[in-house]
Amino acid sequence: MALKITPDKFALADARRLFFRSRTTVAVVFTLFLALGVYLASIDSALTLSIGTSLIAGGVISLATLWIEQIRNGEEIRMKDLIQTGLVAAYRRRNLTEEYDALVKDAKVIDVTGYTLKSFSEQNEEVLRERARKRKPIRVRVLLVDPDSEASRIMEAAENQSAGQYAGSRDALLKALGDIKGVEVRLSKRHLSMMIYRIDNTLFTGPYPASAKSANAFTLRIGQGWLFQKQMDDFDALWKAADVVVPSETKR
């Protein structure tokens, strides 16, 4: 037979405390007050009318307050869930040059994926070279979809680009960034479902739309949270499976 650890009077006190703290219990009590008030107000007596009116007013106000608190509690729960994801902001487009530049300037680590990454190369070559000259290179992992892959050809056609356009962008990127210290480029044959642009502890991500250029896709800004980690896990898996670009390929 199990020994009792909590005295009965304490267990009873805990049960009462939980009972009276229950929102459902409180709502039922106020509803009963409201019903009693309606009943008393219906009696043909000045005294009962006064008491009934007070009970009705008190019941209505209490129920309204309880409802508002319930709504606020739900909002707080949703807010906590959003905070855990790390979601910071949402944008209608992907061209966020000012947002990117402000972070890249003092960055230590950058991870980026794409089919051409023409904008990334053009916007950041000077900063990356300057940091390398100052012996403070940024560790950059560039994951580019291989333009010779089926995935790249499908996206090239979807964006109405002429055949060979992606290959030209690859060659331009390798020429611009391939010899910069800290920069590593790999080619993936896998289709990218989501764009990843990680700058230290900030991640920009969003889908590749089927009917428009990726520059027009919506973008999410994410800080530390489970969504950040999930996206980076996917990036790391693609990175490990991708082909390493040897130094000689950067001189095309």
Side-chain angles (χ1 to χ4, degrees):
M1 182 176 180
L3 296 175
K4 286 187 177 181
I5 298 176
T6 305
D8 290 341
K9 63 178 181 179
F10 294 145
L12 182 60
D14 289 340
R16 287 174 178 171
R17 181 170 176 268
L18 291 173
F19 177 79
F20 286 110
R21 287 186 63 185
S22 168
R23 291 179 182 271
T24 302
T25 301
V26 175
V28 170
V29 171
F30 286 138
T31 301
L32 291 175
F33 283 161
L34 181 61
L36 179 60
V38 172
Y39 171 74
L40 292 175
S42 65
I43 299 176
D44 189 13
S45 168
L47 178 60
T48 56
L49 177 62
S50 176
I51 296 174
T53 302
S54 298
L55 287 174
I56 291 172
V60 169
I61 293 175
S62 299
L63 287 173
T65 301
L66 187 64
W67 180 251
I68 292 172
E69 288 181 354
Q70 186 70 16
I71 293 174
R72 288 178 177 174
N73 184 57
E75 291 176 345
E76 289 177 0
I77 292 174
R78 286 192 291 272
M79 183 59 69
K80 289 179 181 179
D81 288 342
L82 284 175
I83 291 173
Q84 290 177 352
T85 66
L87 181 63
V88 175
Y91 308 92
R92 294 180 179 274
R93 56 191 175 84
R94 186 154 295 170
N95 183 18
L96 306 170
T97 304
E98 292 182 0
E99 297 277 349
Y100 302 149
D101 289 350
L103 295 171
V104 168
K105 183 179 179 181
D106 299 314
K108 295 180 180 179
V109 177
I110 293 177
D111 295 321
V112 61
T113 64
Y115 284 87
T116 68
L117 293 176
K118 180 179 179 182
S119 295
F120 174 80
S121 177
E122 294 175 347
Q123 293 169 8
N124 297 304
E125 180 183 1
E126 184 177 343
V127 174
L128 296 177
R129 288 190 180 281
E130 181 63 22
R131 286 285 299 274
R133 280 196 294 267
K134 292 181 178 180
R135 297 184 179 181
K136 294 182 179 180
I138 303 173
R139 177 177 172 270
V140 184
R141 293 189 296 176
V142 179
L143 184 63
L144 190 68
V145 178
D146 190 338
D148 296 326
S149 67
E150 182 65 20
S152 186
R153 285 192 287 270
I154 291 174
M155 181 59 72
E156 192 173 48
E159 290 193 335
N160 294 318
Q161 298 289 333
S162 58
Q165 188 71 35
Y166 280 12
S169 296
R170 173 203 56 196
D171 295 345
L173 182 141
L174 292 175
K175 182 177 180 181
L177 307 182
D179 63 341
I180 300 177
K181 185 178 181 180
V183 177
E184 183 178 358
V185 181
R186 292 190 182 185
L187 300 179
S188 173
K189 296 184 177 356
R190 295 279 301 276
H191 170 70
L192 298 176
S193 58
M194 301 282 284
M195 176 273 285
I196 292 177
Y197 187 8
R198 177 262 188 105
I199 308 171
D200 290 336
N201 293 326
T202 300
L203 173 69
F204 296 91
T205 187
Y208 285 94
S211 59
K213 290 186 177 182
S214 59
N216 299 324
F218 75 82
T219 302
L220 303 177
R221 178 171 178 163
I222 299 171
Q224 290 296 293
W226 67 262
L227 191 53
F228 180 101
Q229 189 58 51
K230 176 63 177 175
Q231 291 295 81
M232 289 313 304
D233 287 344
D234 289 345
F235 177 92
D236 289 337
L238 290 172
W239 182 258
K240 290 178 181 179
D243 297 326
V244 177
V245 177
V246 297
S248 59
E249 293 180 81
T250 66
K251 298 178 181 180
R252 295 189 181 191

